[in-house]
Amino acid sequence: MAGTVALKRGGRWSPWLFAIPALGVYVAFLVYPALSSLWFSLTNWDGLSASYKFVGLSNYFKLPHDPVVVTAVKNNLIWTVVTIAVPTAIGLLLAIALNGKVRGKPILRLVFYTPAVLPLVSIASIWGWLYNPQYGAINSALRAIGLDGLAQAWLGQDSTALWAVMVPAIWLRTGFPMLLYLAALQGIPNELYEAATVDGATKWQQFWHITMPSLRPAHYIVLALSLIDSFKVFDLIYAMTYGGPGTSTQVMGTWMYFNVFQYYQAGYGTAIAVVITLVAIAVGIPYVRSQTREAS
Amino acid sequence: MNSFSRRGFLGLTSAAALGAGLSACTGGGTSTGGGATQSASNDLRLFTYEGDETIGLLKAQIKKFDAQNGTTTTVDSLPGSGAAVYPDKLRTELLGGKGPDIWRIWGGQIGSPFAKAKQALDLTPYYSKYGWDSKINTAAIGGMTFDGVKSGVPFVSLGIGAWYNKSLFAKAGVSAAPTTYAELEAVNDKLVAVGVTPCGLGGKYGWDIMRLFEYLLEHTAGPALHDKLLTGAESWDRPEVVEAFTLFKKWQDKKWLPQGALGLDPADIEPGYVQGKTAYTITGPWTEAAAILNAKKSPSAFGNFELPTGQKPARHSGFVEGYMINAKTGNADKAAALLDFIVQPATQKAMQISASTVKGAEPDPKALPLSAEWSQKYGSNPFYTIQDQAFPKKQADQYFSVQSDLLQGSVAPDAAKKMQDIVSAWAKS
């Protein structure tokens, strides 16, 4: 009762008063920097000088004429498709396997999820060594089994560098969908499978007609979050290939960084950042809407 | 709370996750620096990229300065980061906060942006006060002078040459360092014949493997033309450059470079000559402390030589490094006093600087015999600017991209045309 009275006293502003501290942090650390970035993308600021000029949308008009942007967009698309499809498929298979009667389930879960919590720079170093053309374990293993012809300079040639970086990305991104699917699988009532068995449905039919439809919300979350994650790829590329050889493994995230921090073209670099963010927002809107619909 | 509010909040929190993308991408709103002078104090902060093997020597000398001057100097280092990473960190510090009072930096186009943006103090008054013009190598001062403004104090002027493993040379039947380019090629062939990779360079960041190309360009173009090429005064679309590109490709095709050199990290492959994995590398005198002594090896097992160009004058690649003072520091006088202390011959000797810009601070033959030998033999030879300092980083990266495509066979040696496009666009800007 007392609470109700207090709420009435505060009127419809009460919830907002409670939200002010969190909103303050959000505005200071997200909204303001984002708007500043948006402003700088409309300038020719070099990222160091005290002065800059307003140049309107010219940084945005330059983007399609930048050959590295074309390469970066193409790489982002390849990266997105591969690092969503493969870890999701493997994660689903692992979840189904771990959902059955498997011994040592908690340990296996931990083993598959561990790469997801390792620092990315460590992962980059580990895989950098594995890929070393002369002394790396991958080429050594290939030579040991007589496949010398397949031993490559994995990170040292345009044709394989991006694919080579995607392997550790897949390795570390498999744990997340696996855990989500595992949780979702455990929520499917057993009675559905029992009824299907009585009706003579095969395991394959049960998978397609019971498991997959029941996993729809999990698919959606995995897809949306993986998609946003894929657009923000930066660290593995930066640490393993530095965008090279040449510019062959540049993605939008690394190219933004190079322009802002290394080429003293902060205006142009932030324009790239704005584009990345707009794409991520466009992709994220359906997810946000689904979450708010579910909550209400 | 009504349903609108609840949905609104959920929407806000979800949107926050997306908004984080933009603010994280760009580092957000920043002070654009300039003008605001900090208050004076006895506290100084020096930012450097000194390696673990030498940082103790620097700190010991700074402690000495502090004791004499009543200052407290904090030394922060980002070891092993190289010119590909350190300037980013420095820039972020300068924009995100007050930044260090003093920072170490390379000359040429790496230090230039800090001077042009007026983040670095004009040190002309201190050059007069301390007489640095007469104490420090004039050419080195030129490497830290931008648009006529002396923005840095160079303390080291480093020459790049070949540093080799004597036992691997002996294994290949090579008894003396090559004195002509043809001899160098013959040495490479002999090394490959006994299963040794000749030249250990890595292309991950571009700058390391570029040292080979700049040497080949000096060999084919000669000093006068090479210098004009670097300033855009001559076209790159010419036979001498095509020849240099052709030789560059030859080095890879004949396996004179490590397999997959383009993807190798210089930090991993450069010390290969000390570990016995490669016969030599192209580097500077710091390698004696950083690679040889650090690996507890005797310098007598190694040697160095100036890469033979067949040109007159004989030149090698080189660069300067020095210190700049923050234009916003409130401690400019104390910072300048510290720099003067650092460029004293005694301090330079105590810090085991292997290629000091100061007379009377030559490397000690007992402590650094190979550096002393390099200094005596080649130290007075002229040098051409190392190419990642000759061009702004963007152009240097584009330049390396051409070299990378060439080594992979996706462009022919007539890629000299591409280089001309890059350099002429830069020269115009």
Side-chain angles (χ1 to χ4, degrees):
Chain A
M1 277 303 285
T4 312
V5 172
L7 188 63
K8 277 183 181 167
R9 204 179 294 147
R12 61 198 175 99
W13 296 108
S14 287
W16 293 103
L17 287 171
F18 283 109
I20 279 173
L23 283 174
V25 170
Y26 175 63
V27 168
F29 291 101
L30 278 168
V31 177
Y32 171 69
L35 291 176
S36 296
S37 298
L38 192 61
W39 165 249
F40 285 123
S41 76
L42 304 172
T43 71
N44 70 344
W45 189 39
D46 63 2
L48 262 178
S49 302
S51 59
Y52 49 80
K53 280 186 191 145
F54 178 78
V55 294
L57 293 172
S58 74
N59 286 326
Y60 292 93
F61 293 139
K62 273 188 221 165
L63 288 171
H65 305 291
D66 181 344
V68 184
V69 165
V70 176
T71 303
V73 169
K74 192 183 80 184
N75 287 342
N76 263 111
L77 289 172
I78 294 169
W79 182 276
T80 300
V81 171
V82 175
T83 62
I84 289 176
V86 180
T88 302
I90 297 172
L92 179 58
L93 290 173
L94 286 172
I96 290 165
L98 290 175
N99 196 41
K101 289 173 182 170
V102 182
R103 291 175 71 180
K105 209 186 285 185
I107 292 167
L108 287 171
R109 232 181 278 167
L110 185 73
V111 165
F112 292 126
Y113 192 70
T114 298
V117 296
L118 286 174
L120 277 160
V121 174
S122 310
I123 288 173
S125 297
I126 293 164
W127 282 87
W129 279 105
L130 290 173
Y131 281 130
N132 184 289
Q134 283 177 295
Y135 311 105
I138 292 169
N139 279 355
S140 300
L142 287 168
R143 289 185 190 113
I145 56 172
L147 297 172
D148 299 50
L150 291 181
Q152 306 275 330
W154 300 102
L155 299 174
Q157 53 192 17
D158 295 3
S159 55
T160 55
L162 185 69
W163 300 97
V165 181
M166 282 195 278
V167 173
I170 289 164
W171 178 64
L172 71 95
R173 286 174 66 164
T174 296
F176 170 70
M178 180 198 75
L179 276 192
L180 273 178
Y181 283 131
L182 199 52
L185 284 169
Q186 286 163 356
I188 303 172
N190 236 348
E191 291 82 354
L192 293 177
Y193 293 104
E194 285 164 6
T197 308
V198 169
D199 289 341
T202 62
K203 288 282 178 200
W204 187 242
Q205 288 171 319
Q206 288 177 27
F207 174 76
W208 279 111
H209 298 287
I210 299 170
T211 308
M212 285 304 268
S214 304
L215 290 178
R216 195 172 297 142
H219 288 320
Y220 203 72
I221 294 168
V222 166
L223 191 71
L225 293 180
S226 301
L227 208 53
I228 293 166
D229 219 23
S230 293
F231 283 117
K232 293 194 301 179
V233 56
F234 169 82
D235 26 35
L236 266 183
I237 298 272
Y238 182 83
M240 285 181 76
T241 65
Y242 197 64
T247 54
S248 64
T249 57
Q250 286 284 2
V251 288
M252 290 293 270
T254 51
W255 193 231
M256 174 274 294
Y257 176 86
F258 272 68
N259 277 280
V260 173
F261 290 92
Q262 304 210 322
Y263 298 162
Y264 303 101
Q265 294 180 329
Y268 182 65
T270 45
I272 297 171
V274 169
V275 169
I276 297 169
T277 306
L278 290 176
V279 172
I281 287 172
V283 166
I285 281 172
Y287 169 68
V288 172
R289 288 185 63 184
S290 76
Q291 293 298 292
T292 53
R293 261 202 307 271
E294 266 179 41
S296 57
Chain B
M1 197 188 291
N2 60 34
S3 66
F4 167 78
S5 303
R6 198 164 47 227
R7 287 175 64 177
F9 282 129
L10 271 165
L12 275 175
T13 46
S14 305
L18 295 172
L22 184 55
S23 57
C25 272
T26 60
T30 50
S31 145
T32 51
T37 303
Q38 297 148 14
S39 54
S41 77
N42 279 330
D43 296 332
L44 290 170
R45 193 164 83 83
L46 183 145
F47 186 38
T48 180
Y49 41 87
E50 208 84 37
D52 293 344
E53 61 282 347
T54 54
I55 190 75
L57 300 170
L58 172 68
K59 283 182 174 175
Q61 289 307 303
I62 285 182
K63 204 172 173 182
K64 207 168 159 185
F65 171 83
D66 283 344
Q68 290 168 6
N69 294 274
T71 48
T72 305
T73 306
T74 308
V75 178
D76 290 327
S77 189
L78 195 68
S81 55
V85 179
Y86 174 83
D88 307 358
K89 172 83 164 60
L90 174 59
R91 174 192 170 282
T92 309
E93 279 206 27
L94 290 168
L95 292 174
K98 61 177 190 172
D101 297 287
I102 300 164
W103 62 81
R104 182 173 168 174
I105 194 78
W106 294 265
Q109 293 293 340
I110 299 174
S112 169
F114 298 94
K116 286 182 177 168
K118 299 198 167 29
Q119 293 281 0
L121 191 70
D122 176 359
L123 299 179
T124 308
Y126 296 111
Y127 265 83
S128 304
K129 181 179 177 181
Y130 293 110
W132 288 333
D133 279 310
S134 59
K135 293 175 187 171
I136 297 170
N137 178 301
T138 308
I141 293 171
M144 298 203 85
T145 302
F146 308 100
D147 298 331
V149 178
K150 290 167 181 162
S151 301
V153 180
F155 73 96
V156 65
S157 172
L158 292 147
I160 301 283
W163 289 67
Y164 68 97
N165 181 314
K166 285 180 179 173
S167 66
L168 290 179
F169 266 41
K171 185 183 173 184
V174 179
S175 53
T179 54
T180 65
Y181 178 73
E183 280 179 26
L184 179 62
E185 285 202 343
V187 167
N188 287 341
D189 279 331
K190 285 178 184 173
L191 287 161
V192 170
V194 294
V196 175
T197 301
C199 185
L201 294 169
K204 185 175 175 184
Y205 301 109
W207 53 261
D208 191 47
I209 208 163
M210 217 186 274
R211 290 174 184 172
L212 171 62
F213 182 73
E214 67 193 9
Y215 156 61
L216 295 172
L217 189 60
E218 175 76 3
H219 164 62
T220 60
L225 177 57
H226 191 174
D227 287 349
K228 285 176 182 167
L229 289 169
L230 293 185
T231 57
E234 283 285 354
S235 170
W236 285 70
D237 186 10
R238 59 191 314 126
E240 295 89 340
V241 181
V242 173
E243 191 189 348
F245 275 127
T246 307
L247 289 175
F248 192 47
K249 182 83 167 71
K250 180 183 180 181
W251 275 65
Q252 182 187 257
D253 293 349
K254 294 202 75 175
K255 295 188 168 58
W256 295 344
L257 292 171
Q259 188 196 351
L262 279 175
L264 297 179
D265 191 323
D268 295 333
I269 192 67
E270 245 198 31
Y273 82 99
V274 177
Q275 299 152 358
K277 292 176 180 174
T278 59
Y280 65 94
T281 190
I282 301 175
T283 190
W286 64 87
T287 191
E288 185 166 21
I292 298 171
L293 298 177
N294 208 29
K296 306 279 187 289
K297 301 268 174 138
S298 166
S300 62
F302 304 92
N304 55 48
F305 59 90
E306 189 177 57
L307 288 160
T309 61
Q311 299 284 355
K312 282 200 169 117
R315 302 196 306 174
H316 52 262
S317 156
F319 60 94
V320 300
E321 293 178 52
Y323 289 102
M324 286 179 170
I325 295 177
N326 190 333
K328 290 182 285 185
T329 182
N331 297 320
D333 288 350
K334 292 189 182 79
L338 174 54
L339 293 195
D340 186 57
F341 177 82
I342 285 173
V343 295
Q344 295 300 323
T347 312
Q348 294 274 288
K349 282 200 156 193
M351 283 164 53
Q352 295 185 8
I353 302 297
S354 53
S356 177
T357 56
V358 182
K359 289 184 190 77
E362 291 73 24
D364 178 1
K366 283 179 188 161
L368 297 166
L370 293 172
S371 301
E373 186 188 350
W374 173 272
S375 173
Q376 284 156 15
K377 281 186 181 173
Y378 315 111
S380 56
N381 284 9
F383 65 79
Y384 53 91
T385 308
I386 198 167
Q387 287 181 356
D388 65 333
Q389 283 193 22
F391 298 113
K393 181 144 179 28
K394 186 179 181 181
Q395 280 69 33
D397 281 357
Q398 290 173 327
Y399 182 20
F400 175 64
S401 225
V402 173
Q403 293 171 28
S404 165
D405 289 345
L406 177 93
L407 289 184
Q408 293 181 77
S410 53
V411 297
D414 64 3
K417 288 189 189 75
K418 271 192 175 185
M419 258 324 288
Q420 178 52 26
D421 294 342
I422 293 163
V423 177
S424 62
W426 167 60
K428 275 179 205 162
S429 72

